[in-house]
């Protein structure tokens, strides 16, 4: 992009800077605070890096590094500026190097009083883990009863777990052979080759192993990132970094654990109850609710469609279950579906909702959420609190009733046979409002008959999950395990494939949208028919002497008719062009408005939760002001009807400080980035001219749209980089800027790239 540079007035700014530099040079001998030349360079810290599945991987030169600990190192670097030098080896060797000072940091150490004298422990823990006993699933003589471990060979990493295991065996008077290993690779290899009967696994320390089963948890401990005793400077920086991290991202450790826990052995090793259910079943019958896309429906061919047809097979695939077939049964009424679950006609129902209380009342377990989305209040006109005093409820969808009863217990409810009838009741004013699930609302209201209805997002999310009969805990645990392994993003992303089925644009919709135009056309045609009938009647009464004059009049009328048709055609083309321009403009604006609106909602919620912290609230209010200013600019565009009708965008150039633009962009998207635990890197080091002349609003719109898409399609824990590069321009008045936005999300196919500049295309 090319922008005009702002000019310095009378070179006063340059002269002022020169004078200031001269004064600083003269005063330097008198400054009392020493400045070291190497402080600008990153401090190199030697990290002991050992191979441990899930916890940290890639323990060799040039190998790609991943895992809980590795990601934690990178996060600390954001606060300390440390540059890491990785030293590889086994856990035992690296521990010795920590004591001798050959490395500075080593992760995964439990606190021991005797260790506290020889290594440095920080104030805060790095994480928590539980210890589990894991056996071969085919070994039926070993059960959760500790007595069945007598005479068995148990493998354990040579670490703090040895002491916890020995204490457990002593307490239960178990005589077993405990074999210690210096690294995880040898431990897992021995178990997989059946040299061990049982091995000890940490809750977040090993990938799922085939044909394994968790027996029980026998202990737990916290672990630390420890420092060489001779490096108190590093220990102080580590304490400061952990304190700041806890203050700024209090849920970071939980989210990091959730990210990697789904890959661990305890997440993928089936419990006894799950294995019992699988051994006794070769078929899973799934009941689903019809007319409830994107979750579930029956298509025109009588087949199941929606998210339900994707999520169940995906769970089976991820859990490695291939001997259980899946069948589906559709229901028009939610109550009938739940009744068949409790009677055993179907094994599982989807979707179910309403929370734990109503699930218990219905006689079912409710699984973990497959998808969680906010509920939208649908109303007509200007919103007021009186509207939520009277709701229209679909009598076939009990989940809607449960939500209203839980959140609006005093509201009046009127039942209707479908959600369409509920919306029509809102249109007619028979009720104040109704509700729509957040994944369905926007697409349903695209239908033109609902164009006068509006949405108001509530603060409560409404979970949709599986329903299983109370007592069938094996299937419940199996499905919850599958949801954990598949991850929350899978269902959210797959649901967008089916939202298009909620919006249909037919001939009647076209007539409603262009009623005035169709009326005009019919009127003109009717008038022409009447004129022709009158002309024919007059011609029959005229004598042959006036036939020539009649012929001339007919020609004149035909000419007028042709002109009228041409004018009518031009009017139709102009009307359609104006309508398309409005649609494109408003669709673009609705997309643009969503990003700052999300930021405002997010920071408002944060301000509310920190109301007693004046500085924190002021910071959030400042961020809300930035997003609000951008939103106001977008709204002013929407109010400019002449611009909407023409479909054209005017460029309003003005002096702009480029760093302010980048700062405002970060502020607007920060809440979305944080909510998905994304890493956002912004690099503006190549920018020379920070003051430019451009249309700040249009620049914001372009960059926000791309950044919003990057956030939307990058999975939790992903990375987004935003780099601004100033290119040589060859001009003293203009500068060329290149904006690069890169993410590690799902990307796009080669075929789709040819259509990315078409409006509202989606792969």
């Amino acid at each position: 992009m090319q922008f005009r540079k702002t000019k310095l007035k009378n070179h006063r700014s340059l002269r002022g800077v020169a004078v200031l530099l001269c004064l600083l040079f003269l005063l330097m001998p008198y400054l009392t605070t020493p400045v070291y030349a190497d402080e600008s360079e990153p401090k190199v810290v030697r990290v002991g890096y050992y191979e441990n599945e899930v916890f940290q991987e890639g323990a060799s030169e040039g190998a790609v590094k991943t895992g809980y600990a590795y990601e934690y190192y990178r996060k600390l670097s954001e606060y300390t500026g440390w540059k890491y030098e990785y030293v590889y080896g086994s856990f035992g060797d690296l521990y010795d190097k920590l004591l001798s000072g050959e490395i500075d940091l080593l992760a995964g150490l439990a606190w021991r009083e005797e260790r506290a004298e020889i290594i440095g422990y920080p104030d805060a823990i790095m994480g928590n883990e539980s210890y589990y006993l894991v056996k071969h699933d085919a070994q039926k003589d070993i059960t959760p009863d500790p007595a069945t471990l007598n005479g068995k060979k148990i493998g354990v990493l040579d670490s703090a777990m040895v002491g916890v295991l020995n204490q457990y065996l002593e307490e239960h008077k178990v005589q077993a052979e405990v074999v210690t290993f210096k690294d995880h690779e040898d431990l897992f290899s021995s178990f997989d080759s059946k040299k061990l009967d049982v091995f000890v696994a940490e809750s977040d320390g090993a990938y799922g192993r085939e044909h394994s089963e968790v027996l029980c948890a026998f202990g737990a401990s916290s672990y630390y990132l420890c420092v060489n005793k001779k490096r108190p400077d590093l220990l102080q920086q580590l304490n400061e970094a952990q304190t700041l991290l806890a203050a700024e991202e209090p849920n970071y450790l939980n989210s990091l654990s959730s990210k990697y826990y789904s890959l661990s052995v305890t997440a993928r090793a089936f419990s006894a109850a799950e294995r019992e259910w699988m051994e006794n079943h070769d078929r899973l019958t799934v009941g689903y609710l019809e007319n409830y896309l994107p979750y579930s429906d029956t298509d025109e061919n009588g087949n199941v469609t929606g998210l339900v047809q994707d999520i169940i097979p995906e769970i089976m695939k991820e859990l490695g279950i291939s001997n259980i077939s899946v069948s589906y049964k559709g229901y028009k009424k939610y109550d009938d579906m739940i009744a068949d679950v409790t009677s055993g006609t179907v094994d599982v129902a989807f979707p179910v909702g309403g929370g734990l209380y109503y699930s218990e009342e219905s006689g079912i377990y409710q699984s973990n959420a497959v998808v969680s989305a906010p509920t939208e209040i649908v109303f007509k006109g200007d919103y007021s609190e009186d509207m939520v005093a009277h709701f229209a409820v679909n009598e076939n969808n009990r989940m809607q009733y449960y939500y209203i009863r839980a959140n609006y217990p005093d509201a009046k409810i009127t039942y209707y046979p479908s959600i369409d009838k509920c919306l029509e009741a809102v249109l007619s004013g028979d009720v104040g409002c109704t509700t729509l699930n957040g994944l369905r609302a926007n697409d349903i209201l695209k239908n033109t008959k609902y164009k006068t209805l509006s949405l108001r997002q509530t603060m409560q999310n409404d979970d949709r999950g599986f329903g299983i009969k109370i007592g069938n805990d094996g299937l419940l645990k199996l499905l919850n395990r599958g949801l954990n392994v598949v991850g929350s993003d899978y269902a959210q992303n797959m649901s967008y494939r089916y939202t298009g089925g909620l919006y249909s644009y037919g001939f009647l919709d076209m007539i409603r949208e262009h009623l005035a135009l169709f009326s005009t056309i019919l009127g003109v045609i009717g008038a022409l028919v009447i004129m022709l009938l009158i002309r024919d009647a007059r011609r029959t009464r005229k004598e042959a002497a006036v036939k020539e004059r009649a012929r001339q009049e007919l020609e004149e009328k035909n000419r007028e008719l042709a002109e009228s048709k041409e004018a009518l055609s031009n009017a139709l083309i102009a009307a359609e062009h104006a309508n398309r321009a409005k649609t494109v403009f408003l669709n673009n604006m609705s997309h643009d408005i969503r990003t700052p609106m999300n930021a405002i909602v997010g920071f408002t919620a944060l301000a509310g939760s920190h109301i007693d912290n004046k500085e924190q609230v002021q910071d959030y209010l400042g961020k809300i002001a930035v997003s609000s200013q951008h939103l106001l600019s977008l709204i002013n565009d929407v109010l400019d009807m002449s611009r909407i009708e023409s479909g054209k965008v005017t460029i309003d150039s003005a002096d702009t400080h480029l760093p302010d633009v980048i700062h405002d962009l970060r502020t607007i998207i920060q809440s979305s980035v944080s909510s998905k635990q994304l890493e956002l890197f912004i690099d503006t080091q190549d920018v020379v001219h920070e003051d430019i002349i451009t249309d700040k609003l249009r620049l914001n719109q372009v960059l926000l749209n791309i950044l919003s898409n990057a956030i939307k399609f990058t999975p939790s824990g992903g990375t987004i980089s935003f780099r601004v590069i100033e290119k040589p321009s060859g001009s003293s008045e203009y500068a060329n800027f290149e904006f690069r936005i890169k993410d590690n999300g799902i990307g796009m196919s080669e075929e789709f790239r040819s259509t990315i500049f078409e409006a509202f295309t989606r792969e």
Side-chain angles (χ1 to χ4, degrees), residues 355-371:
L356 297 179
Y357 172 75
Y358 287 111
S359 296
E360 181 185 15
E361 291 291 298
S362 299
I364 62 171
Y365 295 126
Q366 185 169 330
S367 74
N368 296 339
V370 176
V371 176

Side-chain angles (χ1 to χ4, degrees), residues 425-452:
V426 178
L427 281 170
S428 64
D430 293 340
V431 297
C433 63
T434 189
T435 64
L436 284 172
N437 181 268
L439 288 182
R440 292 162 45 83
N442 285 314
D443 289 278
I444 289 178
L445 294 194
K446 284 181 181 179
N447 292 283
T448 56
K449 60 182 177 180
Y450 303 134
K451 64 181 180 180
T452 59

Side-chain angles (χ1 to χ4, degrees), residues 697-715:
L697 174 61
R698 303 302 168 203
L699 181 60
N700 272 342
Q701 283 181 270
V702 172
L703 297 177
L704 274 178
N705 277 334
I706 301 175
L707 286 168
S708 297
N709 280 341
I711 294 169
K712 182 176 182 180
F713 294 106
T714 299

Side-chain angles (χ1 to χ4, degrees), residues 63 82 87 161 210 217 255 398 430 435 480 528 542 607 648:
W82 289 343
V87 180
M161 289 186 289
E210 293 185 358
S255 63
R398 184 67 64 177
D430 293 340
T435 64
N480 279 338
L528 290 174
K542 292 182 182 290
K648 297 179 180 178

Side-chain angles (χ1 to χ4, degrees), residues 283-298:
R283 174 177 290 273
L284 178 68
T285 305
V286 181
Y288 64 90
L289 187 62
E290 295 181 338
N291 300 315
Y292 202 63
L293 287 176
Y295 298 99
S296 54
D297 196 8
T298 301

Side-chain angles (χ1 to χ4, degrees), residues 617-758:
V617 170
Q618 286 177 337
D619 179 52
Y620 290 138
L621 289 176
K623 294 176 177 177
I624 291 171
V626 171
S627 299
S628 300
Q629 188 61 42
H630 182 62
L631 181 60
L632 179 61
S633 300
L634 294 174
I635 292 173
N636 287 336
D637 257 21
V638 174
L639 295 177
D640 189 347
M641 294 305 295
S642 63
R643 189 175 301 174
I644 297 175
E645 292 180 354
S646 67
K648 297 179 180 178
V649 176
T650 59
I651 300 300
D652 298 321
S653 298
D655 290 353
T656 304
H657 191 51
L658 188 56
D660 290 345
V661 175
I662 304 303
H663 177 270
D664 291 350
L665 289 171
R666 179 193 284 271
T667 298
I668 293 172
I669 66 173
Q670 187 60 51
S671 63
S672 298
V673 170
S674 298
S675 68
K676 290 191 71 176
Q677 295 93 42
L678 302 176
E679 288 188 305
L680 175 63
F681 299 99
I682 296 179
D683 182 4
T684 60
Q685 294 183 359
D686 295 328
V687 175
V688 178
H689 300 94
E690 296 182 339
D691 295 306
I692 59 176
I693 298 174
T694 186
D695 188 334
K696 181 180 179 182
L697 174 61
R698 303 302 168 203
L699 181 60
N700 272 342
Q701 283 181 270
V702 172
L703 297 177
L704 274 178
N705 277 334
I706 301 175
L707 286 168
S708 297
N709 280 341
I711 294 169
K712 182 176 182 180
F713 294 106
T714 299
S716 297
T719 302
I720 298 172
S721 65
F722 178 23
R723 186 178 180 188
V724 184
I725 305 170
E726 183 170 346
K727 300 281 190 175
S729 65
S731 170
S732 60
E733 293 187 358
Y734 292 89
N736 286 324
F737 290 87
E738 180 180 293
F739 297 87
R740 294 185 180 179
I741 298 173
K742 180 179 179 182
D743 62 75
N744 61 353
I746 61 176
M748 64 182 74
S749 65
E750 194 68 29
E751 296 79 12
F752 184 70
R753 295 182 186 176
S754 61
T755 64
I756 59 174
F757 293 104
E758 295 177 12

Side-chain angles (χ1 to χ4, degrees), residues 195-265:
K195 295 178 181 177
L196 298 172
D197 300 301
V198 177
F199 82 98
V200 176
E202 305 102 312
S203 58
D204 54 359
Y207 285 122
R209 319 209 76 75
E210 293 185 358
H211 307 297
S212 62
E213 180 179 317
V214 174
L215 284 172
C216 63
F218 68 90
S221 69
S222 300
Y223 54 90
Y224 296 80
L225 177 60
C226 291
V227 184
N228 175 264
K229 196 70 174 178
K230 298 178 181 179
R231 295 303 304 271
D233 57 324
L234 292 184
L235 183 60
Q236 179 182 351
Q237 292 178 24
L238 177 58
N239 281 326
E240 291 172 354
Q242 289 179 325
T243 300
L244 287 173
L245 177 59
E248 295 180 7
E249 300 184 52
N251 294 318
Y252 178 76
L253 290 182
N254 288 334
S255 63
L256 192 60
S257 179
S258 297
K259 176 179 178 180
Y260 290 98
Y261 174 77
S262 63
L263 301 173
S264 69
V265 64

Side-chain angles (χ1 to χ4, degrees), residues 91-103:
F91 177 83
D93 293 340
L94 292 172
Y95 180 73
D96 292 338
K97 289 184 178 182
L98 181 70
L99 298 180
S100 65
E102 294 178 66
I103 60 174

